[in-house]
Structures are given as structure tokens and as C-alpha cells.
């Protein structure tokens, strides 16, 4: 299944994540607005190249692609595993 998304650029993934966020607004709104940002403004800002994505966008991509993620960082020897 992941091979469907292998050729996507980061901009295409960003657009897809934002579209998925908007299509599931009722699911993601509480997590976005908990930080005091209106949902529509949050997604608008996330559409701009250069805006740092976070856990909300990762979760959207995981749900959209029906995959789990492993995140590798310089600080940890073991990856952080995000599972749907």
C-alpha cells in the first residue's frame, strides 16, 4: 500500500494532509484549537511551504495512508513508533 505514496513530494504530502484534515475536521479540531488557533487558520497556515508540521499532520497522513510511522531522531537510538 505504501508504494502508492512513495513518489509523492513533500509539497504533495503537505497538500494531502491538509485536505485530509479538512475532510475530518470534527476529528482534528479539538487538537488544533486546544492551542488557541481557529481550525481554518491552522490549516491555512499549514498549507504554506515552510510551516513546520507536527503530530496532527503525521496522524492525518497515517490515517489517510493506512500506515504506521517510525520517526528517527538524533537524540534517541530507538525510533519513536506511531501506530494507528
Amino acid at each position: 500500500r505504501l508504494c502508492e505514496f512513495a513518489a509523492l513530494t513533500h509539497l504533495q504530502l503537505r497538500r494531502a494532509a491538509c485536505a485530509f484534515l479538512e475532510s475530518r475536521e470534527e476529528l482534528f479540531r479539538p487538537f488544533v484549537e486546544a492551542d488557541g488557533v481557529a481550525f481554518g487558520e491552522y490549516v491555512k497556515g499549514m498549507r504554506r511551504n515552510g510551516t513546520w508540521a507536527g503530530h496532527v499532520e503525521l496522524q492525518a497522513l497515517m490515517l489517510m495512508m493506512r500506515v504506521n510511522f517510525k520517526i528517527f531522531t538524533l537524540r534517541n537510538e530507538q525510533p519513536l513508533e506511531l501506530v494507528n
Side-chain angles (χ1 to χ4, degrees):
R1 172 120 175 99
L2 186 58
C3 63
E4 294 176 42
F5 302 100
L8 295 177
T9 68
H10 77 281
L11 290 176
Q12 290 169 317
L13 286 171
R14 177 182 294 275
R15 289 183 194 120
C18 289
F20 191 83
L21 287 172
E22 290 175 324
S23 73
R24 304 290 195 291
E25 181 176 344
E26 71 286 347
L27 176 64
F28 292 104
R29 177 188 293 271
F31 299 100
V32 169
E33 293 187 345
D35 291 332
V37 179
F39 184 81
E41 288 301 310
Y42 179 87
V43 175
K44 181 180 176 182
M46 195 52 58
R47 286 188 185 282
R48 287 192 300 269
N49 191 23
T51 302
W52 282 87
H55 69 281
V56 172
E57 293 72 38
L58 289 176
Q59 185 65 46
L61 289 172
M62 289 171 52
L63 290 170
M64 181 187 79
M65 294 190 286
R66 296 186 179 119
V67 297
N68 298 323
F69 285 169
K70 286 187 180 183
I71 300 175
F72 295 86
T73 66
L74 295 175
R75 295 183 194 162
N76 300 314
E77 290 184 22
Q78 297 297 317
L80 173 64
E81 296 192 41
L82 304 176
V83 179
N84 273 321

